[in-house]
Amino acid sequence: MAFLGILVETSMNVAFPTLMKQMHVSLNTVQWITTGYLLTVALLMITSAFLKQRFKNKQLFVAAALAFILGDLICALATNFPILLIGRLIQAGCAGLAIPLMFNIVVESVPRSRLGFYMGMAGLILMIAPASGPTFGGIMVYLANWRMIFWSTMPVEIIILVLGLGGIKQFSPVQQVKFNWGQFLLLAVAFISFTLGLNSVSTAGALSWEFLGGVGLALVAIWGYIALAKHSEHQLLKLEIFKNPVFTYSFFAYFILQFCNIGINFALPNYAQIVVGATSLIGGLMLLPGSLITAILQPWFGHLLDEHGARLPILMGSTLFLIAALVFTIFGRHLSIVVISVMYIVFSIGRSMAFSNTLTNGLKEVDMSQRADANAIYNTGQQFAGSIGTTILAALMSVVKVSGMSYAHETAIGSQLAFGLILILSVVNFGFYAIVFRYQKNDK
């Protein structure tokens, strides 16, 4: 269920050029099909620690399935962009509930000595599903149209629901805990206003009231949450976890890796169609080799951590990630389908090797009593990172406007700026990992 919920996050990316024509919207607007989905998932994940305490695993599983099916139906029948967006926001409930549920079950039922392997298997979902989305979407669009993305996943979700009713088990008792609406609303305001502010950069500029107001409101809301949470017995996201430097800087690196992953899974299919002139099928299929190879290697990535510690796979993966980002940046205006496909393999392997082990390494440093809260923070950050990654890369790809220059050429220059940002962030991550391994006494 988690795989399917994440698969449809990015499956619509290859249909953006078609949706822009059919529904008469810009790239900055249509990207909300992905950004809005990810933002909704992030907001739900804020509540995951509360939901784990309050509801049984099977109840959360059923709610996730019903959200997916209802959202699927609305999207498949949508006649305009607002209805399609509403369907996507409802459908996001599936990933928002299923992903934390998956990780909580793994953490509760797997011994520490094998946690790397099994977290790697769970992390496989987070690696492969968003990368497979454009391929799946491209095939559906080629065979029929973008609506087939939703019609084809609906019966699969129904089968998953039936199987899960007999397979999902309970590992801890539920409690009658209260939900803090004030804290949730402050975090929701912060996430939404920050994303809207970033989305306005390409149209209104970095000095506009839309951008500065959005970011300013987000900062005020975060300050309000911190002030409120300090005096509350029930925090949605427990801030004291960030006193652990290994957890904190691992989280920052994890955030950057997901930002780049979802961002580039948005950028590359659109680059292929707009700049290279490829079909939606090719735009999706070119990411498939990287996705398949990473899927095969993912358990090995976790095994490396179990056998050699976190330093080896994290630094090796980060190096491959940096090399791919460097090539994308240097040749950003003149990438071919073959070059994109080959370098995406390098990018995907490196990013996945670092990503899953960064999560596992960070969670190992947290007491068992704080694991659910730490998991909620990681999962919330992961989805929010994907949301703003899509927003910022879409803004950079659209920011170049030169009189007399073709839309394809403008997008190529904007894409090079987007790849350059990923390169800078890949360098920043080495700094975060240096801090992590300076504080960590034992990385096994």
Side-chain angles (χ1 to χ4, degrees):
M1 184 179 286
F3 180 88
L4 205 59
I6 302 172
L7 181 75
V8 297
E9 277 184 4
T10 55
S11 61
M12 290 291 286
N13 287 356
V14 295
F16 283 176
T18 301
L19 288 173
M20 290 164 65
K21 294 177 183 178
Q22 289 183 359
M23 298 185 172
H24 309 290
V25 292
S26 66
L27 182 62
N28 259 351
T29 299
V30 78
Q31 59 91 16
W32 276 95
I33 293 294
T34 297
T35 298
Y37 190 102
L38 291 164
L39 194 56
T40 303
V41 174
L43 293 175
L44 267 174
M45 286 184 173
I46 292 173
T47 69
S48 62
F50 162 80
L51 293 174
K52 179 184 180 298
Q53 290 180 291
R54 180 64 182 80
F55 299 101
K56 294 182 178 179
N57 291 339
K58 192 170 293 186
Q59 291 174 319
L60 297 175
F61 183 86
V62 171
L66 295 179
F68 188 97
I69 293 168
L70 177 60
D72 232 9
L73 186 62
I74 293 173
C75 290
L77 299 174
T79 55
N80 55 48
F81 185 79
I83 293 176
L84 177 61
L85 183 57
I86 290 172
R88 290 283 286 179
L89 298 182
I90 294 173
Q91 191 177 44
C94 174
L97 294 173
I99 296 170
L101 180 62
M102 173 181 66
F103 279 109
N104 282 329
I105 289 175
V106 170
V107 169
E108 286 181 331
S109 58
V110 172
R112 179 185 172 92
S113 62
R114 297 292 290 159
L115 189 61
F117 176 79
Y118 283 99
M119 286 295 286
M121 293 298 292
L124 175 63
I125 305 301
L126 303 184
M127 304 310 130
I128 306 308
S132 302
T135 301
F136 169 70
I139 293 172
M140 293 299 102
V141 171
Y142 179 78
L143 294 177
N145 55 51
W146 58 267
R147 297 179 191 275
M148 185 54 65
I149 293 171
F150 305 106
W151 289 123
S152 63
T153 52
M154 195 179 303
V156 179
E157 186 70 17
I158 293 172
I159 294 171
I160 290 172
L161 173 59
V162 173
L163 294 176
L165 287 173
I168 301 297
K169 298 179 181 179
Q170 189 67 28
F171 296 95
S172 57
V174 297
Q175 305 172 34
Q176 293 293 327
V177 293
K178 293 182 178 180
F179 183 71
N180 196 314
W181 284 102
Q183 293 180 27
F184 176 77
L185 290 174
L186 284 169
L187 288 175
V189 169
F191 284 12
I192 294 171
S193 60
F194 187 74
T195 305
L196 288 172
L198 291 177
N199 192 57
S200 68
V201 171
S202 63
T203 54
L207 298 178
S208 64
W209 70 265
E210 292 98 330
F211 172 69
L212 296 178
V215 174
L217 180 59
L219 293 175
V220 171
I222 289 292
W223 176 83
Y225 172 79
I226 293 173
L228 190 63
K230 282 182 178 179
H231 304 286
S232 174
E233 295 181 0
H234 304 286
Q235 298 179 10
L236 280 179
L237 297 177
K238 292 186 178 179
L239 302 177
E240 60 265 24
I241 296 177
F242 286 101
K243 293 179 181 178
N244 182 333
V246 175
F247 172 85
T248 300
Y249 290 100
S250 292
F251 173 77
F252 291 158
Y254 183 84
F255 188 95
I256 285 177
L257 289 169
Q258 183 68 353
F259 173 101
C260 296
N261 179 52
I262 299 298
I264 209 163
N265 282 326
F266 161 82
L268 292 179
N270 284 284
Y271 181 100
Q273 293 179 75
I274 297 171
V275 179
V276 183
T279 64
S280 60
L281 178 63
I282 297 300
L285 285 177
M286 68 182 185
L287 305 184
L288 183 59
S291 302
L292 292 176
I293 292 172
T294 305
I296 295 170
L297 294 177
Q298 188 62 44
W300 179 65
F301 297 157
H303 176 74
L304 283 176
L305 183 143
D306 291 332
E307 292 296 318
H308 304 286
R311 189 186 303 264
L312 174 65
I314 286 177
L315 295 183
M316 184 188 302
S318 297
T319 301
L320 293 174
F321 178 84
L322 186 148
I323 291 171
L326 182 63
V327 173
F328 278 132
T329 302
I330 293 174
F331 300 102
R333 300 188 194 184
H334 309 287
L335 293 169
S336 66
I337 297 298
V338 173
V339 172
I340 291 174
S341 184
V342 171
M343 292 317 302
Y344 184 77
I345 294 174
V346 178
F347 175 91
S348 184
I349 291 174
R351 181 259 173 193
S352 300
M353 188 184 299
F355 184 76
S356 59
N357 287 309
T358 297
L359 170 63
T360 305
N361 192 49
L363 287 177
K364 277 188 172 184
E365 295 299 311
V366 177
D367 292 335
M368 184 60 73
S369 61
Q370 295 180 320
R371 286 275 176 91
D373 296 286
N375 190 26
I377 291 172
Y378 266 116
N379 284 316
T380 301
Q382 170 215 333
Q383 297 301 317
F384 186 57
S387 172
I388 63 172
T390 302
T391 299
I392 292 177
L393 263 65
L396 289 173
M397 290 177 70
S398 308
V399 75
V400 179
K401 305 292 181 185
V402 180
S403 178
M405 185 178 291
S406 68
Y407 179 55
H409 195 185
E410 290 174 343
T411 304
I413 298 174
S415 299
Q416 191 172 37
L417 295 175
F419 298 141
L421 174 61
I422 291 176
L423 175 62
I424 293 171
L425 292 176
S426 68
V427 175
V428 170
N429 254 13
F430 277 99
F432 288 143
Y433 287 130
I435 298 173
V436 167
F437 295 126
R438 188 177 71 202
Y439 280 100
Q440 194 168 16
K441 296 179 182 179
N442 180 16
D443 65 348
K444 281 192 177 183

